[in-house]
Amino acid sequence: MKLRLLPLAAALLLCAGCAGREAVGEYRELDQLVLVDALGVDRRGEGLVVTAAASSADGPIRLRAGAATVRRALAELQSYTEKQFMFYGHTRHLLLGEADAGACLERCLEFVERSDEVRLDTWLFLVRDGTAEDALTKSAADSVGDLLDALVKDVELTSESRVFTCGETAEALAERGCALVSAVRLTEAENIVPENKRLTLLSAGYGVVADGRLAAWLDPDMARGANLLMGSPGGDVIEAPDGRGGVFAARLTGSDARFLPEYRDGEPVSLRILLELRCSLAEISGPPDLMEGETLREMEAAIAAVEAARVDRVLRLSQTLKADFCGLGDGVRRASPLRFARTSVTWKEVFPALPITAEVRVKLERGGEGGVEGLPGEERAAG
Amino acid sequence: MREADGMTYRQYLAAVGVALFSPVSRLLPDAVLRRAGFSGWLAPLAAAPLLLGLTAVHRRLLRLRGEARSLGEALEARLGPVPGKAASALLCLWILFYGGIILRSGGERILATVYPTGRLWVFAGGILVLGAVFALGELRWAGRSAMMTFLFFAAALLAVFAMALPGIHGSAVWPPDPGRSGDILLAAVPVADVLSPWFCFSFLRGRITEEGNGLPRALRGMLGMLLLVLLFLIATIGALGPELALRQQYPFYVMIKNLRIFGGKERFDALTVAIWMTTDYVCVGILLLSASEGLRSLVSARRRQPFVPVCAGGMLLAAVVSARSAFSFARLSETAVPAVNLSVAFLLLPLISCLPGKNLKK
């Protein structure tokens, strides 16, 4: 046996964590752990209240502790569990209560960035009209984590919002000074028969965090407009008047946002945003004469009018708040990097007063199983 | 006559490639982001002419009478016996100090990321022992070991880049900011810094048994490293975003920690630790090899191995005395260490390479 293998073996043992607690810290068995799914943070007085939600074979676990910092509150939570260790390494969701949400968010992101357990890709939510504690403890779901997982997927389908991670939010705040955070609301589910009515978490659009405070809420309708501007429309279903006294529904199948800034003397003087939407007819009352180009164009114009109104509301709010929460500046920069780099004023300075117009063009491409493929769909402008 | 023990040029390049990833993953992308913002990922392209030129100059320094020599021999031949030996001794001391920096940074980053309540010296000691085992054996064993490690390292990095690809935000890196072209050139400096310790391994150069194609091969090796740094920067900046990457102490680790495959499998942190440990121990091992070879030739001893424990002790001492805390250590490794590395690689050695190699013994 070569003697030189002895130090090698010793080093490998050390590195594998066999040197005991003193050397590498606490070693933990899986059955000693409470695996936390979701964390909620609320401002209460001068301090914070942190709520942890976990699911186990014995049923849901909900724990709460207060402290001046998130990290200290988590250490407090440790005392309340029967198991040996609270484990935050698989935390998937972080919820913040409405009260003083801006300051709370700043502190939570700081905690997540430094944490060796909670990850930057943890989904982030704001609780509208309520507290994170209520959202995690009063929801009837056995596993809040699973409920929120489903919600992340739901909002992608309905385009009522888009859930951002802690990392994405921290990056947006650092880069633009503002960010959109997906909002949820604890509400009694309306679509369940009365005797089984129960509280659940539903999407409530976006919260706008700007300059360290919760500046505004975007309802789901405006959230759809914001999603279009951010280039992630989801699979929204748009209802619009069909021109015959009825309503038709079209499913959004794709969109492109083009930013067309105008520069004068090297400075941006206006911005035109061209949104090109692709839709598929989902439902209509009575057989439409879709082979007639005029009918098709009217329907496209009706969809464009709906979307243009949404986008316009978002743009006005964004400029009023002086917060480019949809990242329009990034679109302008990408449109002409050289000109953008040569401007003497920053985007943050120029954005609030810049004349911005949004033009929505719709192409109703298909009719689903209704069989109107191959229609001469033309791009028509509206709005 | 040359001793039979040695490693091939391919093995040498593999070892150097793995070893240099240790400072790359420690100091980047932070240093390029500070200078050029998100466009800092272009820094390897800006640094390419500089580093390829350095490779050529370095090769000229070590090439005497048509044959590759160790750095010690080259210094003696060009500066004369006494100044040459003095320069060799100083460079050996620097290699030991630099090895101490690698040791300490290896321990620090495992503590900061995985075992916050652990002991620094357990991990630094573990890396040192592994490196010493690497250096105590025959060179040809170290060469084979380096080749195997390189294959593992390349496979692990490839897996990381492939997994990171879906999470990269194109807008975080493209298009680059044309207004910062001057800053991109400045950002080439930290890239040159992390790759410049190439010279630290050059005491081994006289023991490379297979020459291969010489300069083109060395240039290809440097191009490979630059490509690796480019991919590394695109992956970390693209996945985290420039501002967030700048705020992280170890963005590479955070990027891997946040990887998910098909939205489900997650927490590949162990992969980062494996990559870090591998690069650290190979870096320490090859620095020990180089320093012990330098000392051997300095005193004209027959065997290199007795110098390895001495060098290991020196590295440990350097790791202990280099800084009082993680904060002062970070300051040291971002200021004084790059200054010395860059001065030696880009000023001192090129100047010496201009001198004729007339004192070479036959």
Side-chain angles (χ1 to χ4, degrees), chain A residues 15 24-26 28 115-117, chain B residues 107-118 123 250 253 257 267 269-274 276:
Chain A
C15 295
V24 295
E26 301 288 349
R28 298 157 189 189
S115 173
D116 55 334
E117 287 192 291
Chain B
E108 289 284 1
R109 57 187 177 183
I110 290 176
L111 285 187
T113 51
V114 189
Y115 295 112
T117 57
F123 298 107
Y250 300 109
Y253 173 78
K257 195 165 88 162
R267 296 213 72 111
D269 323 11
L271 197 56
T272 335
V273 179
W276 278 350

Side-chain angles (χ1 to χ4, degrees), chain A residues 2 4 7-8 11-12 14-17 19 21-26 87-90 92 109 113 115-123 167-168 170-171 174-175 330 333-334 337-338 341, chain B residues 38 112-119 122-123 126-127 129-130 133 136-137 141 169-171 174-179 240-245 247-248 253-254 257-260 266-267 277:
Chain A
K2 302 270 185 186
R4 70 171 59 91
L8 176 67
L12 287 174
L14 281 176
C15 295
R21 288 179 168 198
E22 286 303 308
V24 295
E26 301 288 349
F87 183 68
Y88 302 99
H90 288 296
R92 305 195 297 278
L109 291 178
E113 283 178 37
S115 173
D116 55 334
E117 287 192 291
V118 182
R119 306 178 335 163
L120 281 168
D121 69 343
T122 304
W123 301 115
E168 288 169 329
E171 174 66 21
E175 201 180 310
D330 196 43
R333 177 182 67 82
R334 297 180 78 184
L338 201 57
Chain B
F38 74 93
T113 51
V114 189
Y115 295 112
T117 57
R119 298 283 174 89
V122 172
F123 298 107
I127 295 167
V129 173
L130 284 171
V133 172
L136 274 170
W141 300 346
H169 303 292
S171 61
W174 191 262
D177 187 348
L240 294 178
E243 298 290 341
L244 194 57
R247 275 157 46 177
Q248 298 299 312
Y253 173 78
V254 175
K257 195 165 88 162
N258 288 318
L259 286 179
R260 283 172 197 261
E266 53 186 40
R267 296 213 72 111
M277 288 292 283

Side-chain angles (χ1 to χ4, degrees), chain A residues 135-309:
Chain A
L136 292 180
T137 55
K138 292 187 177 169
S139 156
D142 287 341
S143 167
V144 184
D146 289 349
L147 179 66
L148 289 167
D149 279 343
L151 199 125
V152 171
K153 296 290 173 198
D154 289 347
V155 296
E156 276 177 25
L157 294 173
T158 60
S159 194
E160 285 181 358
S161 152
R162 181 181 148 199
V163 186
F164 295 99
T165 65
C166 290
E168 288 169 329
T169 308
E171 174 66 21
L173 285 173
E175 201 180 310
R176 307 196 282 262
C178 57
L180 288 176
V181 183
S182 182
V184 290
R185 183 185 270 134
L186 186 67
T187 188
E188 206 159 72
E190 292 172 4
N191 55 344
I192 298 174
V193 286
E195 52 270 35
N196 293 333
K197 265 195 173 180
R198 56 184 193 167
L199 288 171
T200 189
L201 291 172
L202 294 178
S203 169
Y206 285 119
V208 180
V209 179
D211 298 325
R213 65 187 179 87
L214 177 59
W217 294 104
L218 301 190
D219 58 39
D221 209 43
M222 284 175 84
R224 291 184 174 103
N227 287 345
L228 282 181
L229 287 168
M230 290 189 290
S232 51
D236 188 19
V237 175
I238 307 146
E239 289 180 337
D242 63 4
R244 297 177 301 172
V247 172
F248 73 96
R251 185 156 185 262
L252 196 55
T253 55
S255 81
D256 293 308
R258 286 168 59 196
F259 293 82
L260 307 165
E262 189 189 337
Y263 290 84
R264 197 172 300 147
D265 299 328
E267 306 299 335
V269 290
S270 69
L271 170 63
R272 187 169 146 248
I273 304 169
L274 183 58
L275 295 162
E276 294 174 317
L277 314 188
R278 295 181 295 282
C279 297
S280 142
L281 184 61
E283 192 180 317
I284 190 162
S285 55
D289 190 5
L290 288 176
M291 294 306 285
E292 284 293 323
E294 192 59 34
T295 310
L296 195 64
R297 281 192 288 277
E298 280 172 10
M299 290 168 74
E300 288 173 345
I303 297 169
V306 171
E307 293 294 10

